[in-house]
Amino acid sequence: MTAGPGDTPHVRQLLGAYVLDALEADESGTVARHLQRCGGCAAAYVEAVDAVSLLALLNVDDLLE
């Protein structure tokens, strides 16, 4: 994780793995706690969730176009 203002760790680089439930339990907990107190990362999380939801609607033909 990178440090931001005031040495607050930010988790944006972990959000994709978090959304896909691909983090270890301790990292997942860290991300969840951070999202509760950081509006910027929480907004990025919502965007990542939306993107994953939209990707799930695609099929192979959509990707080949």
Side-chain angles (χ1 to χ4, degrees):
M1 285 186 273
T2 60
D7 290 333
T8 302
H10 286 271
V11 297
R12 288 179 192 233
Q13 68 272 20
L14 298 176
L15 289 178
Y18 180 75
V19 168
L20 297 173
D21 197 26
L23 295 176
E24 297 293 327
D26 61 332
E27 273 189 315
S28 183
T30 298
V31 172
R33 287 186 299 277
H34 182 82
L35 292 175
Q36 291 175 349
R37 66 181 187 277
C38 179
C41 289
Y45 166 76
V46 170
E47 290 177 10
V49 168
D50 288 346
V52 169
S53 297
L54 290 173
L55 287 173
L57 298 174
L58 296 175
N59 62 42
V60 173
D61 293 332
D62 294 328
L63 298 173
L64 295 176
E65 292 180 7

